Amino acid sequence: MNTLNWSELTFGFIPTDYNVRCTYKDGRWGHLEVSSDPFISVHMAATSLHYGQEAFEGLKAFMGKDGKIRVFRPDENAKRLQHTCDGIMMPKLPEELFIEAVKKAVMMNKRFVPPYGTGASLYIRPLLIGTSPQVGVKPSNEYLFLIFVTPVGPYFKEGFKPTPMVILRQYDRAAPLGTGTYKVGGNYAAGLLPGEKAHAMGYSAVLYLDAKEKKYIDECGPANFFGIRENTYITPESTSILPSITNKSLMQLAQDMGMKVEKRRVPVEELSTFEEAGACGTAAVISPIERIDDLDANVSYSFSKNGEAGPVCTKLYHKLRAIQYGDEPDVYHWNLIVE
Ligand code: PLP
Ligand code: COI
């Protein structure tokens, strides 16, 4: 612990002291429990293991200059988890229980919240899994909810530097009426092969198109997409992307900065008109995009000429970070202060 170099953290897993857990049995949720065991004991026939009855969330806690720990918009993650629960037939975790678990997980691991000024944060990972044994394809009767935390640095190793992304038209992430709007592991499993292919070719991520027509932009593997043109923030509307809390926040901040905000279908050719482009998410924060290569169409779209992030991405990035670290007023009460 004493040897943790906060400024050098990557987006990996570093063990922390405790995790919190809660089980669902006989039709109701139990009490929160604290554990120091990083392992869970799961029946080999559990529905989560065989039929993907599994959901997760991702949020962050930040240490402020004032020594206060702020968690960014946990109520939104609680609601999104409930949306996912509805989508894959899991019992909804009450919002208050989710928030209580987040607070407890952060407080119990307070010494792992990276100090102010290091650029790092404490990543909070809630997980909900079906635990009853089943061989037939049906929902579990019992569930385990848990939260672990781990200190992290930037998701893309370049941090706030533009990186190239790629469109691989032979792969889909999620079907138009499938599970794309839910945060379930299966969506990420679908992205492993294209993601590794992209990495091997030097790209930081895959940018997926809509699976039906391959005409519109969906999102990146781990983040939403936005483009900037003529003082307008443009981001895809789609039935197969995750509703990003970061994107929702950036839309508000862009509007507050006097920009126009458009959430609508974004044809892939429109990429040629964007002055800047970025990927946004809890892990990614804002990751500016240097260029997007549409390999099968043999077209390349470029956004960064000097290898630096554009002015709008930069402004939005600093604004969001300032709110999260408590450097600027939190006018929308997005932060939950944990003490
Ligand atoms: N899209 C996908 C596929 C993601 O995994 C994430 C990360 O959570 C996001 C978008 C961004 O969502 P949020 O800003 O809520 O973290
Ligand atoms: C997040 O940003 O919290 C995510 O869940 C993305 C992830 C796949 C690391």
Side-chain angles (χ1 to χ4, degrees), residues 16-254:
T16 52
D17 292 335
Y18 301 102
N19 55 82
V20 298
R21 304 172 179 205
C22 186
T23 52
Y24 180 92
K25 211 175 166 177
D26 301 325
R28 51 190 173 81
W29 287 101
H31 297 292
L32 282 184
E33 287 166 28
V34 175
S35 171
S36 55
D37 187 356
F39 291 92
I40 53 175
S41 177
V42 180
H43 194 285
M44 62 185 173
T47 61
S48 50
L49 299 179
H50 295 260
Y51 304 126
Q53 216 192 9
E54 178 271 356
F56 71 101
E57 271 299 329
L59 61 166
K60 280 176 173 171
F62 303 84
M63 177 65 76
K65 204 190 281 180
D66 55 7
K68 288 185 177 156
I69 300 169
R70 293 169 175 80
V71 180
F72 191 66
R73 308 192 80 172
D75 53 320
E76 290 287 336
N77 293 88
K79 289 190 190 92
R80 190 170 63 190
L81 180 60
Q82 292 191 340
H83 167 71
T84 300
C85 287
D86 282 341
I88 61 163
M89 300 293 293
M90 303 202 285
K92 282 201 279 255
L93 186 83
E95 187 174 327
E96 315 79 67
L97 190 54
F98 182 94
I99 301 281
E100 196 191 329
V102 167
K103 281 185 181 165
K104 196 162 234 155
V106 173
M107 280 321 284
M108 301 287 303
N109 295 288
K110 213 172 147 187
R111 69 190 187 100
F112 291 95
V113 183
Y116 177 81
T118 58
S121 55
L122 188 74
Y123 187 69
I124 303 165
R125 173 52 67 86
L127 177 76
L128 175 53
I129 59 172
T131 51
S132 315
Q134 294 281 5
V135 220
V137 181
K138 45 180 177 288
S140 178
N141 298 318
E142 296 179 6
Y143 293 83
L144 170 66
F145 172 71
L146 66 83
I147 298 187
F148 69 77
V149 299
T150 192
V152 294
Y155 187 74
F156 295 115
K157 64 179 187 313
E158 295 78 3
F160 189 63
K161 276 264 180 258
T163 59
M165 297 196 181
V166 67
I167 295 171
L168 297 173
R169 287 173 179 257
Q170 63 275 43
Y171 298 103
D172 293 322
R173 175 185 171 272
L177 302 176
T179 56
T181 67
Y182 309 129
K183 204 160 168 63
V184 295
N187 296 337
Y188 299 82
L192 286 176
L193 175 61
E196 286 308 302
K197 268 196 153 179
H199 292 153
M201 290 188 286
Y203 298 102
S204 63
V206 177
L207 180 64
Y208 293 94
L209 301 185
D210 82 278
K212 190 173 175 191
E213 297 185 86
K214 298 277 177 185
K215 270 190 178 171
Y216 304 98
I217 296 172
D218 253 2
E219 65 176 334
C220 308
N224 273 185
F225 171 87
F226 66 87
I228 305 291
R229 184 184 63 229
E230 291 166 1
N231 203 36
T232 308
Y233 180 102
I234 301 156
T235 192
E237 172 95 74
S238 165
T239 57
S240 46
I241 67 178
L242 193 77
S244 157
I245 297 156
T246 312
N247 198 5
K248 186 174 174 179
S249 310
L250 291 174
M251 284 188 265
Q252 182 65 58
L253 297 178

